[in-house]
């Protein structure tokens, strides 16, 4: 019997698996700066500054400040301010507030994202097969409440439940986030569940560590994909291939 008939739940990563960012970070920081009459910040400096600032924020205040009950907007304001400072831009408070509000509202909308064409059909097909579908993401509440619905990925039609790090206080690659997903699916046994993602470290390895099945998508032809395959992971190019794999392979293939 094919894999799909053996599974009761499939969980799916969001960014890189169901959707992707459009353009560059600098595009949105540039629009925000121009909206208050400032010139565009340097793209590379902003990108590098954001990477450093975001990494520091995740270490200091993981899960978007969940444990400390930091309001989402405050967490992001600190991150964005540090991004600009590390990029060499230090705005006065009034100017920064205007720039930040534009950035925060933009990334709380569907504007910077694009959903892959195969995402909605794949999720709907899974649910039509009687599979419980969950989304598991290192993201804050706006993914659940605003961004996914705006992209046509709705709870109740494309997915049944979500596990978002900013709401749970646990983030990938911590295997506990997958245990939460199994509980939310109705205390499903890990061997009856499969996770689909695009990261060996955050998706495949932790899901497998608790006994789930897993596969990886390589939508962007990452050099790491060859190593993933050598390690024994199933690596597929997209969700069309995932559907084919689920219907044509057995769990021990």
């Amino acid at each position: 019997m094919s894999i799909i008939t053996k599974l009761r739940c499939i969980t799916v990563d969001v960014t890189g698996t169901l959707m992707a960012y459009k353009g560059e970070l600098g595009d949105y920081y540039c629009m925000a700066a121009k909206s208050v009459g400032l010139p565009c910040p340097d793209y590379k400096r902003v990108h590098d500054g954001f990477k450093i600032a975001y990494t520091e924020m995740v270490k200091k205040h993981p899960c978007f400040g969940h444990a400390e009950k930091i309001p989402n907007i405050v967490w992001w304001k600190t991150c964005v301010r540090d991004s600009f400072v590390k990029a060499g831009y230090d705005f006065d408070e009034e100017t920064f507030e205007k720039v930040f509000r534009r950035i925060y509202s933009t990334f709380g909308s569907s504007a910077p994202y694009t959903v892959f064409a195969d995402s909605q059909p794949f999720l709907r097909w899974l649910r039509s097969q009687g599979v419980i579908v969950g989304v598991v993401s290192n993201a804050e509440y706006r993914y659940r409440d605003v961004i996914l619905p705006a992209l046509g990925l709705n709870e109740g039609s494309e997915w049944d439940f979500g596990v978002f790090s900013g709401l749970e206080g646990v983030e990938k690659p911590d295997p506990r986030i997958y245990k939460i997903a199994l509980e939310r699916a109705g205390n499903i046994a890990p061997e009856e569940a499969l996770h689909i993602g695009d990261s060996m470290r955050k998706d495949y390895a932790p899901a497998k560590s608790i006994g789930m099945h897993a596969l990886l998508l390589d939508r962007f032809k990452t050099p790491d994909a060859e190593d993933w395959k050598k390690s024994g992971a199933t690596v597929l190019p997209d969700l069309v291939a995932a559907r084919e794999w689920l219907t044509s392979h057995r769990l021990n293939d």
Side-chain angles (χ1 to χ4, degrees):
M1 296 177 72
S2 63
I3 293 172
I4 192 71
T5 63
K6 299 285 190 180
L7 297 171
R8 294 177 60 201
C9 174
I10 291 182
T11 57
V12 188
D13 167 56
V14 176
T15 308
T17 301
L18 296 178
M19 70 181 198
Y21 290 106
K22 280 194 293 196
E24 296 181 55
L25 184 76
D27 293 330
Y28 303 102
Y29 278 50
C30 176
M31 285 190 289
K34 280 186 166 181
S35 72
V36 297
L38 295 172
C40 267
D42 182 86
Y43 273 38
K44 186 177 187 308
R45 281 162 57 192
V46 163
H47 180 76
D48 292 346
F50 176 80
K51 279 175 67 176
I52 296 167
Y54 184 82
T55 300
E56 288 180 358
M57 281 297 288
V58 168
K59 285 181 181 175
K60 289 180 187 173
H61 311 288
C63 302
F64 305 95
H66 180 276
E68 300 145 291
K69 295 183 169 56
I70 298 173
N72 193 64
I73 193 168
V74 173
W75 194 96
W76 279 111
K77 183 178 286 189
T78 305
C79 184
V80 172
R81 188 193 305 276
D82 288 352
S83 301
F84 276 120
V85 170
K86 292 180 191 308
Y89 302 96
D90 196 1
F91 304 125
D92 64 74
E93 189 59 35
E94 184 181 354
T95 301
F96 171 73
E97 184 67 29
K98 291 176 182 175
V99 172
F100 169 72
R101 289 280 174 178
R102 177 69 177 260
I103 291 170
Y104 187 72
S105 64
T106 297
F107 281 94
S109 72
S110 62
Y113 311 99
T114 181
V115 67
F116 296 114
D118 56 8
S119 296
Q120 189 186 72
F122 178 74
L123 297 177
R124 289 187 173 183
W125 171 73
L126 287 180
R127 296 183 78 242
S128 76
Q129 301 300 301
V131 175
I132 299 167
V133 177
V135 290
V136 179
S137 178
N138 284 353
E140 32 104 342
Y141 77 94
R142 293 183 297 171
Y143 263 44
R144 179 194 67 185
D145 295 351
V146 182
I147 296 167
L148 288 176
L151 292 170
L153 303 178
N154 293 281
E155 185 173 5
S157 56
E158 281 72 41
W159 47 280
D160 298 290
F161 69 90
V163 183
F164 301 93
S165 62
L167 295 170
E168 306 296 341
V170 180
E171 61 191 6
K172 299 187 284 186
D174 190 330
R176 288 181 298 162
I177 200 166
Y178 295 99
K179 291 180 178 178
I180 292 170
L182 294 177
E183 290 169 10
R184 203 146 294 168
N187 292 311
I188 283 175
E191 60 269 21
E192 295 181 303
L194 175 139
H195 179 68
I196 302 173
D198 69 333
S199 167
M200 173 61 80
R201 187 178 73 88
K202 292 181 179 179
D203 294 302
Y204 187 90
K208 292 284 281 187
S209 77
I210 68 162
M212 293 175 68
H213 304 284
L215 65 84
L216 287 164
L217 290 196
D218 179 31
R219 289 190 183 273
F220 303 106
K221 294 182 170 51
T222 173
D224 293 337
E226 286 308 310
D227 290 332
W228 297 347
K229 291 174 186 175
K230 287 175 185 174
S231 75
T234 297
V235 182
L236 301 171
D238 52 35
L239 292 173
V240 173
R243 175 172 173 170
E244 172 63 23
W245 183 83
L246 286 165
T247 52
S248 62
H249 285 67
R250 299 176 184 275
L251 278 175
N252 58 357
D253 280 2

